[in-house]
């Protein structure tokens, strides 16, 4: 299988090469693109626009999953734009919020592929993030009820640089790329150092064309177990 070419030694060597997100963020915030992005966000706030998630949660994925603890990256596109839905983690919603359709399909795939898996009543995936699953959206903010409104404002540069940082400083990371948008990010990943698993998006529009039955969650744990690492408690 594809992941067998990643030896245990290669993985361990990559884990020694550590760098904190704090230093990475400091580097990015000094760049012109990021300053322009912040000016855009400030202008939107000055106009009275409601932006999700709140500013304090825009880097929540990085807060919960430090760079040297990343095992898996699940890439989303845009934050949820409904009230109370977005809290800075791709596909996740806070406790008590109705589970969105894509996440319902993610749970269906888990129940299909992981023995004795019980579908949770909550859509909060913080427990994944704390185990090393980086739940990264490509865009980290959105205007209320206006999907895609903050795309092409600079967030994509920031999150592409996150992927590149992981690619350059770590080894043996498992990237789960779901849907055509996420597939385009594969060119940022060195597949000699990392593992890429691809499928269609878990959205109801495409889940039955490849996502359901992809076995990605099962494969992730097989990869982690084979190299002696703790598996993810999905």
């Amino acid at each position: 299988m594809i992941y067998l070419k990643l030896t245990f030694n290669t993985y361990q060597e990559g884990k020694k090469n550590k760098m904190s997100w704090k230093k990475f963020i400091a580097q990015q915030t000094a760049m012109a693109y990021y300053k322009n992005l912040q000016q855009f966000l400030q202008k939107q706030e000055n106009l009275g626009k409601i932006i999700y998630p709140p500013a304090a949660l825009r880097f929540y994925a990085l807060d919960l999953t430090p760079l040297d603890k990343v095992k898996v990256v699940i890439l989303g596109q845009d934050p949820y734009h409904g009230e109370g839905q977005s809290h800075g983690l791709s596909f996740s919603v806070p406790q008590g919020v109705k589970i969105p359709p894509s996440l319902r399909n993610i749970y269906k795939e888990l129940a299909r592929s992981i023995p004795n898996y019980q579908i949770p009543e909550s859509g909060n995936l913080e427990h994944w993030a704390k185990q090393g699953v980086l739940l990264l959206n490509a865009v980290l903010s959105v205007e209320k009820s206006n999907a895609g409104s903050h795309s092409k404002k600079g967030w994509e540069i920031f999150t592409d640089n996150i992927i590149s940082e992981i690619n350059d400083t770590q080894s043996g990371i498992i990237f789960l790329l779901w849907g055509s948008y996420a597939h385009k990010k594969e060119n940022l990943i060195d597949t000699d150092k990392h593992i890429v698993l691809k499928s269609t998006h878990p959205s109801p529009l495409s889940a039955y064309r490849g996502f359901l039955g992809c076995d990605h969650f099962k494969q992730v744990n097989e990869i982690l177990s084979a190299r002696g690492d703790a598996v993810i408690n999905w």
Side-chain angles (χ1 to χ4, degrees), residues 94-113:
Q95 192 82 17
V97 175
K98 183 180 179 181
I99 299 173
S102 291
L103 183 53
R104 287 195 178 279
N105 283 330
I106 288 171
Y107 283 164
K108 285 180 183 178
E109 172 57 20
L110 278 160
R112 189 202 64 80
S113 60

Side-chain angles (χ1 to χ4, degrees), residues 65-78:
T65 314
L67 175 57
D68 63 298
K69 302 299 183 185
V70 175
K71 296 179 180 180
V72 181
V73 178
I74 298 180
L75 186 68
Q77 185 170 351
D78 210 33

Side-chain angles (χ1 to χ4, degrees), residues 15-101:
K15 299 304 282 186
K16 296 176 185 176
N17 199 354
K18 297 181 180 180
M19 178 178 176
S20 73
W21 287 129
K22 183 177 179 180
K23 183 176 180 181
F24 168 83
I25 292 170
Q27 291 172 339
Q28 300 302 306
T29 55
M31 296 182 181
Y33 88 86
Y34 193 90
K35 293 176 181 178
N36 292 337
L37 169 63
Q38 295 308 303
Q39 289 174 1
F40 164 77
L41 292 171
Q42 186 61 58
K43 183 177 180 180
Q44 296 301 295
E45 290 174 358
N46 292 344
L47 291 171
K49 302 291 182 67
I50 298 174
I51 300 174
Y52 298 139
L57 290 177
R58 287 176 198 156
F59 293 167
Y60 196 39
L62 305 184
D63 292 339
L64 291 186
T65 314
L67 175 57
D68 63 298
K69 302 299 183 185
V70 175
K71 296 179 180 180
V72 181
V73 178
I74 298 180
L75 186 68
Q77 185 170 351
D78 210 33
Y80 297 121
H81 55 81
E83 184 175 1
Q85 287 185 303
S86 178
H87 67 146
L89 305 176
S90 63
F91 297 101
S92 179
V93 291
Q95 192 82 17
V97 175
K98 183 180 179 181
I99 299 173

Side-chain angles (χ1 to χ4, degrees), residues 220-231:
V220 165
N221 279 351
E222 287 175 346
I223 295 165
L224 295 174
S225 179
R227 66 191 182 200
D229 207 347
V231 300

Side-chain angles (χ1 to χ4, degrees), residues 3-16:
Y3 56 81
L4 291 180
K5 65 182 179 181
L6 287 164
T7 66
F8 179 76
N9 288 337
T10 299
Y11 171 70
Q12 290 296 97
E13 191 62 34
K15 299 304 282 186
K16 296 176 185 176

